[in-house]
Amino acid sequence: GSEMCIRDRVNPAPHRVIATTNATRLSANWDNIERMKWDVLLVSEARTTPGDAVLGQIRRAKCAYFPGTPTADGSSLVAIVVRSGFATATHKDPSGRAVEVLWRPGSGAAYQLTCLYGGVDPAPEVTNHTSTLARDALMRSASQGPIPALVAGDFNREFNELPCAYAFCASGWEDLATEPTCATSTSHNARRIDFLLANATMRRMATNVSVDHSAGSVSYTHLTLPTK
């Protein structure tokens, strides 16, 4: 369903954790992911299909799963997994590259959380599509009023390559982290292509942002928030 209420069993107090990861394939990394501390997880490259055993594992872990629109091969490239609180799916882009929920951890604020996975192809039209996905999330946030909002994921572009960068800056949004997220054997400089774009309300609420590389090849960015 589009809504799920999950018993509060992960972080009863005093903080909540929103985490993001590029899983490459969720089914290959769920065991590591489940051991991490998070209340909501935004997953780029989830690549789940309706018959995946990992979906049963997620249900048995009493988590709600919000996948993006399936792509042509039937897989969902993005997903949001909710382990506590109440969440409602509010947007799925037809391209399958963005999914959004409104998450209420308890009696406090609701959070607009958008997970995005940009195309790898360097073609300008792919860059423009990724930018459009992000800008559309920005516009939906503006229509919601001053609630905390986050647009996060693997954009496969540096921020200044995106035409929407000016709109985010002009609206007071900022990336919550700065460290590079992509380095290859053929690149001379590591690049930051994974973002935690947060509006001013979200930035005021965030108490800590950290990156955890302890789970092998999968890294997690943790955003810590007060319970209320």
Side-chain angles (χ1 to χ4, degrees):
S2 62
E3 300 182 355
M4 180 66 73
C5 186
I6 305 155
R7 63 192 179 95
D8 188 4
R9 59 187 176 81
V10 180
N11 291 308
H15 297 104
R16 303 285 185 176
V17 175
I18 298 171
T20 69
T21 186
N22 184 319
T24 306
R25 186 172 295 277
L26 187 59
S27 59
N29 292 292
W30 175 250
D31 288 344
N32 288 331
I33 287 171
E34 189 179 11
R35 286 194 290 269
M36 306 300 290
K37 182 179 180 181
W38 50 269
D39 295 282
V40 182
L41 183 72
L42 281 62
V43 187
S44 299
E45 286 201 84
R47 300 188 185 278
T48 57
T49 57
D52 274 354
V54 70
L55 301 184
Q57 293 176 287
I58 291 171
R59 286 192 296 270
R60 287 191 292 276
K62 294 182 169 52
C63 296
Y65 188 64
F66 297 89
T69 302
T71 56
D73 67 357
S75 66
S76 296
L77 290 175
V78 293
I80 297 177
V81 190
V82 180
R83 190 146 60 172
S84 68
F86 180 86
T88 304
T90 54
H91 179 74
K92 288 185 179 184
D93 191 79
S95 69
R97 290 189 173 273
V99 63
E100 185 175 282
V101 302
L102 193 66
W103 174 57
R104 295 176 176 84
S107 57
Y111 297 80
Q112 179 184 301
L113 306 177
T114 308
C115 180
L116 186 154
Y117 178 54
V120 178
D121 191 318
E125 56 267 30
V126 176
T127 301
N128 290 337
H129 181 246
T130 300
S131 180
T132 298
L133 293 175
R135 188 187 66 241
D136 288 352
L138 170 67
M139 298 304 294
R140 289 191 299 272
S141 170
S143 70
Q144 292 277 357
I147 69 169
L150 184 74
V151 181
D154 181 356
F155 287 55
N156 275 307
R157 296 292 189 275
E158 294 185 81
F159 188 59
N160 60 9
E161 295 179 280
L162 298 168
C164 68
Y166 176 80
F168 274 91
C169 293
S171 301
W173 288 57
E174 295 178 9
D175 190 2
L176 292 175
T178 58
E179 74 171 46
T181 60
C182 177
T184 67
S185 58
T186 59
S187 63
H188 298 289
N189 298 304
R191 301 184 301 149
R192 180 167 181 79
I193 60 174
D194 302 78
F195 305 116
L196 295 163
L197 300 176
N199 68 356
T201 309
M202 177 68 87
R203 292 201 312 278
R204 285 194 297 269
M205 299 185 74
T207 58
N208 182 57
V209 178
S210 61
V211 180
D212 190 329
H213 299 286
S214 64
S217 61
V218 181
S219 63
Y220 306 84
T221 303
H222 290 173
L223 168 63
T224 306
L225 305 162
T227 300
K228 294 185 179 180

